[in-house]
Amino acid sequence: MKDNHRRLMAPFLLLGLMSVTQVAAQEGGNRSDPVLASEYSEKGADTCLGCHSVEPFFSTKHARREDSRTPFAGLQCEACHGPGGKHAKGMAVGQMVPIMNFGAKSKQTAAQQNKPCLGCHERDSRIAWKGSQHEAGDLACASCHQLHTARDRVLTASGQTETCLSCHIRQRGDFYKASVHPVRYGTMRCSDCHSPHGSGAAGKLLARPTLNQTCYACHAEKRGPLLWEHAPVSEDCSLCHTPHGSVHPALLKKPAPLLCQQCHSPAGHPSFAYTPNGLPGGTPSGFLLAGSCTNCHSQVHGSNHPSGAKLMR
C-alpha cells in the first residue's frame, strides 16, 4: 500500500522540484547562459568594489549571502542595478556606460527605480504599493530609504520623522503648535499611525482599517462599548480632533464651547451661542471659562454610569 502511494506521489514531487528550480533561475539569474554572461560582470560585487566604496552596506540584511531571499545570494549588486558587464568594461577604458542608478540624481523614472525593490518586497503582506498615494505621487523607494548605509535612516524615530516632514511641510508646521502628538520628540513615529507603503484603509495611508481603530491602538480607553455613547466619538475622532497639532488643548479643532456648538447650538441646552457678542454687559459667562461645557459634561467620550445620559458623570 505504501509503495503504491509513493509511486503515485513521485510525478508530483518531480514537477514541484522542476518548478522551484525554474523560479530560482528566474530570480537569481544564470551566468552560465552565454547570452546573460556577456551582460553581467565577471566577478560580481568584486568588480564593483574596485571603484565603489560601500563597506557599510555589508552589515545590512541585503548583503547576507546565507539568506536566499537577499540580492547577495544571487546576482549581488547586479540584482538591483542590473547587468553591469558593459559598465565595467567601459569604465576600464575610460568610457561611461550608464547603469541602473537610484535616488534624486537618477535618470530612471520612479517606476523603473522601484521595480527591483518591488520584485522582492511586494511579496510582503504589509506592502500595498500598487495604487497607493505615494505611488500616485511618483515617489521612488530611494527617496526615503538608504541601502548603502549600515542603518537606514527611516528605521530610527528621528530619521523617519525628518524624512516624512521633508515632503509633508504642513504637518511639520502642525508639530510645532502648542498641542501635538510627540512625533517631533521621538516618542512616536509617523509609521505608528500611517503605512507609507500602501494601505487598505481609505485615504491617508492609515496603518489600520479605519481612523478610529488607528486612534484606539493607543487610546484604548475610548474604544467602548459604553453605556452612554457620544455619537462623534464612535463615528470619527477627527470630527473634534486634529491628529498632528493644534493651537487648542487636547488637539481640538476649536475651543469649547464653539466646538460643541457645531452640533448642539440648534436645540437643547443652551440654545444660543456663547460668543463675546452675546455677553450681557460684557460680564464673562461661566461657560466661557475654564473647561467651558466640560465644566459639567466632563465625560465627553462617553459614560458607563447608570445616570450618565448627559455625560455629566
Side-chain angles (χ1 to χ4, degrees):
M1 185 69 178
K2 291 183 179 179
D3 291 338
N4 291 336
H5 180 71
R6 289 172 182 171
R7 282 196 293 269
L8 289 171
M9 291 298 295
F12 296 99
L13 293 174
L14 180 60
L15 180 61
L17 181 60
M18 291 173 63
S19 301
V20 171
T21 304
Q22 291 173 357
V23 171
Q26 292 171 0
E27 294 180 352
N30 184 5
R31 282 196 173 90
S32 63
D33 187 323
V35 178
L36 291 176
S38 64
E39 298 290 332
Y40 289 93
S41 60
E42 295 181 1
K43 297 181 180 180
D46 290 337
T47 304
C48 306
L49 292 173
C51 297
H52 300 281
S53 178
V54 290
E55 284 76 9
F57 173 74
F58 291 97
S59 62
T60 69
K61 292 182 179 179
H62 284 94
R64 293 180 181 174
R65 299 188 65 176
E66 69 276 8
D67 188 342
S68 61
R69 300 171 298 173
T70 67
F72 260 63
L75 295 172
Q76 301 179 345
C77 303
E78 292 163 290
C80 298
H81 290 277
K86 293 181 180 179
H87 176 74
K89 291 175 182 178
M91 295 301 293
V93 295
Q95 295 180 358
M96 182 61 182
V97 180
I99 193 172
M100 180 70 177
N101 200 6
F102 300 88
K105 297 182 180 180
S106 175
K107 294 183 179 180
Q108 282 78 26
T109 65
Q112 289 172 329
Q113 293 183 54
N114 293 343
K115 187 175 180 180
C117 306
L118 294 175
C120 293
H121 291 283
E122 205 167 29
R123 303 169 195 166
D124 191 332
S125 60
R126 296 170 297 178
I127 304 295
W129 186 256
K130 297 297 184 183
S132 69
Q133 285 94 327
H134 278 154
E135 187 203 28
D138 208 27
L139 191 70
C141 303
S143 299
C144 302
H145 293 280
Q146 291 179 321
L147 298 186
H148 290 168
T149 59
R151 181 71 170 172
D152 189 355
R153 61 184 179 183
V154 297
L155 299 182
T156 65
S158 59
Q160 183 185 113
T161 300
E162 191 57 36
T163 300
C164 297
L165 297 184
S166 64
C167 290
H168 299 280
I169 304 300
R170 180 176 179 179
Q171 284 70 28
R172 178 187 289 274
D174 286 341
F175 284 128
Y176 279 89
K177 293 179 179 178
S179 177
V180 297
H181 274 126
V183 174
R184 183 163 58 92
Y185 308 110
T187 307
M188 286 182 65
R189 305 185 185 200
C190 301
S191 58
D192 290 338
C193 300
H194 297 283
S195 178
H197 301 112
S199 170
K204 307 305 180 186
L205 292 172
L206 294 176
R208 289 171 177 78
T210 67
L211 174 65
N212 278 23
Q213 288 182 31
T214 304
C215 299
Y216 294 153
C218 293
H219 303 281
E221 75 281 3
K222 308 296 190 299
R223 183 190 303 272
L226 298 169
L227 182 60
W228 306 102
E229 291 190 344
H230 195 187
V233 177
S234 55
E235 183 178 347
D236 191 329
C237 300
S238 66
L239 290 174
C240 298
H241 299 279
T242 181
H244 298 109
S246 173
V247 296
H248 307 298
L251 289 166
L252 292 175
K253 285 187 168 182
K254 294 182 179 181
L258 300 179
L259 179 68
C260 307
Q261 289 166 351
Q262 290 183 138
C263 296
H264 295 286
S265 59
H269 164 68
S271 60
F272 59 93
Y274 282 118
T275 66
N277 295 331
L279 298 178
T283 303
S285 166
F287 290 102
L288 290 175
L289 303 176
S292 186
C293 303
T294 57
N295 285 336
C296 298
H297 304 280
S298 58
Q299 305 302 309
V300 290
H301 292 101
S303 172
N304 273 325
H305 195 282
S307 299
K310 301 297 183 182
L311 305 181
M312 298 175 71
R313 62 182 72 188

